[in-house]
Amino acid sequence: MKEKSNTQSPEKRGGFGSKIGFILAAAGSAVGLGNIWRFPYLAAKYGGGIFLLIYLIFAVTFGFTLMITEIAIGRKTGKSVIGAYKDVNKHFAPLGWIAAAVPALILPYYCVIGGWVMKYMVEFVSVHGHRIATETYGDSNLSFFENFISHPLQPTIFFVIYVIVNASVVMLGVQKGIETLSKFLMPVLLILIFGISIYTLTLDGALEGLKYYVLPNFKNFTFEQLLKTIVGAMGQLFYSMSLAMGIMITYGSYMRKEDALEHSVRQIEVFDTFVAFLAGLIIVPSVFVFSGGKTDQLNAGPSLMFKTLPAVFDSMPAGDIIGGAFFILVTLAALTSSISLMETVTAVVMEKFRLNRVASCFVVIGITLVLGMLSVLGYSSWSEVKLLGMQFLDFFDFITNNVMMPILAFFTCILIGYVAKTSYIEDEVLYGQDRFSAKHLFRIMIKFVCPVCMIIILLTPFITTI
């Protein structure tokens, strides 16, 4: 006898009211800080056009396969990640707990970084961009950013404000909160990023930076460099497309049955990749011009966003305006991603503890504030405390992105490819469309290619640094 479903009714659980609402919300989740600074950095590091080409190939194969799998699981089960994996196969139920733990661990430190971005937005909008770019503090000449994060009061204030903004949207529900906000923010984000990218291309010398960004550079490009580029592109897909975080399963559970799943995923991919590419058009040419062609300033980590780029904007005509627009853009991008993280954790609390949305949200706020303060204090009062030699924020980032997410994605591939069988996903895809045009590609990727990719991604941090 078939077990009685524990799925909440649509009225209680909520759902997207339109296809465009789902696409914009899912795309908003995918478009985040990883697109704005990590994608341009990797593209610049790995030969520009070579990285772009490899990334595009992986996006339409590897990324497509994982995204359509997660969304289909969510829509078919109509549950949060814990209930969804259990529904697919009870022996794989632990995957649901991993999928719930990933956003629960990412959300706090993501909100801390979101608070940093919000602080910079306020400073630039207040026409203080020159101070951010040039002022130093103390005997050790700390930069504005280093001084800001080394004193816990302001980072805490902006962190709490950022969490409250997220929670306010999530409390309103899927349609009134997430969908409504996404329909407004995503067009605004697109207009901002398109406008700023066009402006940066008008700067003197930007054409050389553009060539460096988009044209493949095969000079001294070794086989080892090619392998690193491939691994870097695969890893970036997790950041860019919100994969293996439980988000797409959660959003899929809110998706209407009549909407074409395959077509929706393709639209999300196009939107996400286009925004990442435009972010590169802003950052790579402008930093290239600022540094006189020295690409070492396109480094990874907070220094690019919070130290190098303010100096770049300060050197531009109308730098405060462009810098203000840029950090408004980054704040919006960060919000659409962190809201999806909070919604995923909130959905789990609602389902497991039978609490209403508001009460569940307050539980998530409490968890986020407690764990987030570890990351805030890790750069100030508790800077001497290390986990595996890393500060709290770096540790949470490593354990989620480099360990938990590849493991979750690997076993999801095994679950769908060999246990539940690919028909589990294929049947769901056919609910809203006549045919699954990428069915054969999906089967090959989920059974053979994606599991190997997951193993490579999982092992890479322990072998070399990307």
Side-chain angles (χ1 to χ4, degrees):
M1 180 181 292
K2 187 176 180 180
E3 292 183 14
K4 184 178 179 180
S5 173
N6 290 324
T7 307
Q8 292 172 289
S9 67
E11 291 76 21
K12 290 183 179 180
R13 198 165 188 279
F16 292 109
S18 64
K19 180 181 177 182
I20 189 63
F22 165 74
I23 291 171
L24 290 177
S29 167
V31 174
L33 296 176
N35 291 65
I36 303 299
W37 67 264
R38 196 173 187 270
F39 182 91
Y41 146 70
L42 288 176
K45 182 178 180 180
Y46 293 124
I50 299 175
F51 178 86
L52 294 180
L53 177 61
I54 292 173
Y55 179 86
L56 184 60
I57 292 171
F58 276 121
V60 299
T61 55
F62 169 74
F64 167 81
T65 300
L66 292 181
M67 182 175 285
I68 202 167
T69 296
E70 293 189 11
I71 294 175
I73 289 174
R75 192 172 75 168
K76 189 161 189 168
T77 61
K79 295 183 178 181
S80 72
V81 288
I82 293 178
Y85 275 104
K86 186 177 180 180
D87 263 22
V88 179
N89 188 288
K90 64 181 181 180
H91 300 295
F92 282 75
L95 293 184
W97 290 98
I98 297 175
V102 168
L105 292 175
I106 292 177
L107 177 63
Y109 77 77
Y110 199 101
C111 287
V112 171
I113 300 173
W116 298 348
V117 174
M118 188 174 283
K119 165 68 174 177
Y120 269 59
M121 179 189 71
V122 170
E123 292 290 338
F124 267 94
V125 170
S126 304
V127 200
H128 293 149
H130 180 71
R131 180 166 69 91
I132 292 175
T134 59
E135 283 192 9
T136 56
Y137 302 82
D139 296 334
S140 56
N141 289 324
L142 295 177
S143 67
F144 178 91
F145 175 65
E146 292 165 336
N147 182 68
F148 167 62
I149 64 173
S150 65
H151 296 85
L153 180 59
Q154 282 204 53
T156 299
I157 292 171
F158 279 95
F159 163 56
V160 172
I161 292 172
Y162 189 88
V163 171
I164 292 172
V165 172
N166 277 263
S168 299
V169 176
V170 174
M171 283 183 184
L172 288 174
V174 179
Q175 278 193 45
K176 292 182 179 179
I178 297 170
E179 183 172 353
T180 301
L181 189 75
S182 298
K183 285 181 176 179
F184 169 73
L185 287 189
M186 295 312 291
V188 172
L189 186 150
L190 196 58
I191 292 169
L192 280 172
I193 197 168
F194 187 76
I196 300 170
S197 63
I198 294 300
Y199 174 81
T200 56
L201 292 178
T202 65
L203 300 173
D204 291 337
L207 184 59
E208 290 302 312
L210 176 63
K211 290 179 180 178
Y212 179 82
Y213 177 49
V214 301
L215 296 179
N217 180 16
F218 291 100
K219 185 178 179 181
N220 301 322
F221 204 78
T222 64
F223 180 71
E224 180 184 359
Q225 191 78 349
L226 177 62
L227 290 178
K228 288 184 177 181
T229 302
I230 291 172
V231 174
M234 285 192 297
Q236 176 60 25
L237 280 169
F238 281 102
Y239 291 91
S240 285
M241 299 178 72
S242 293
L243 301 174
M245 300 181 188
I247 293 172
M248 290 303 165
I249 290 178
T250 303
Y251 275 17
S253 71
Y254 301 140
M255 186 183 182
R256 301 186 308 178
K257 283 283 190 180
E258 62 266 29
D259 293 334
L261 206 160
E262 184 178 11
H263 186 248
S264 297
V265 171
R266 291 298 188 196
Q267 289 181 311
I268 295 167
E269 283 184 309
V270 169
F271 197 107
D272 175 71
T273 304
F274 184 58
V275 169
F277 176 75
L278 289 179
L281 285 183
I282 294 173
I283 293 174
V284 178
S286 58
V287 175
F288 194 91
V289 171
F290 173 76
S291 65
K294 297 178 181 178
T295 57
D296 57 344
Q297 293 199 38
L298 283 162
N299 48 27
S303 57
L304 174 63
M305 179 78 72
F306 300 107
K307 293 169 69 174
T308 305
L309 284 177
V312 171
F313 295 134
D314 188 53
S315 70
M316 289 181 179
D320 274 320
I321 296 174
I322 300 302
F326 176 79
F327 279 103
I328 290 172
L329 160 70
V330 180
T331 301
L332 297 183
L335 277 172
T336 55
S337 291
S338 54
I339 285 168
S340 67
L341 288 165
M342 182 171 281
E343 173 62 29
T344 301
V345 183
T346 301
V348 170
V349 176
M350 287 172 63
E351 185 175 281
K352 296 306 294 182
F353 298 100
R354 300 291 176 178
L355 298 176
N356 63 34
R357 175 170 286 274
V358 174
S360 299
C361 212
F362 274 110
V363 172
V364 176
I365 290 172
I367 296 171
T368 302
L369 291 176
V370 171
L371 292 181
M373 283 307 300
L374 294 178
S375 294
V376 170
L377 297 175
Y379 286 100
S380 52
S381 306
W382 295 354
S383 60
E384 300 300 319
V385 181
K386 299 288 191 297
L387 295 175
L388 299 180
M390 294 176 276
Q391 289 169 314
F392 287 106
L393 190 152
D394 297 324
F395 172 77
F396 288 131
D397 181 65
F398 173 80
I399 203 70
T400 52
N401 287 281
N402 297 112
V403 180
M404 297 172 71
M405 288 161 58
I407 289 174
L408 175 61
F410 174 79
F411 283 105
T412 299
C413 291
I414 300 303
L415 170 62
I416 299 301
Y418 299 98
V419 181
K421 306 298 183 183
T422 57
S423 59
Y424 185 92
I425 301 299
E426 293 162 9
D427 292 345
E428 183 61 28
V429 172
L430 292 174
Y431 257 103
Q433 57 194 64
D434 296 330
R435 58 188 293 267
F436 186 5
S437 59
K439 180 173 69 174
H440 297 297
L441 169 68
F442 169 77
R443 289 179 177 178
I444 293 171
M445 293 298 299
I446 199 74
K447 295 179 72 173
F448 306 111
V449 180
C450 289
V452 174
C453 291
M454 293 306 101
I455 293 174
I456 293 172
I457 292 173
L458 182 62
L459 294 179
T460 296
F462 301 99
I463 300 173
T464 185
T465 300
I466 294 299

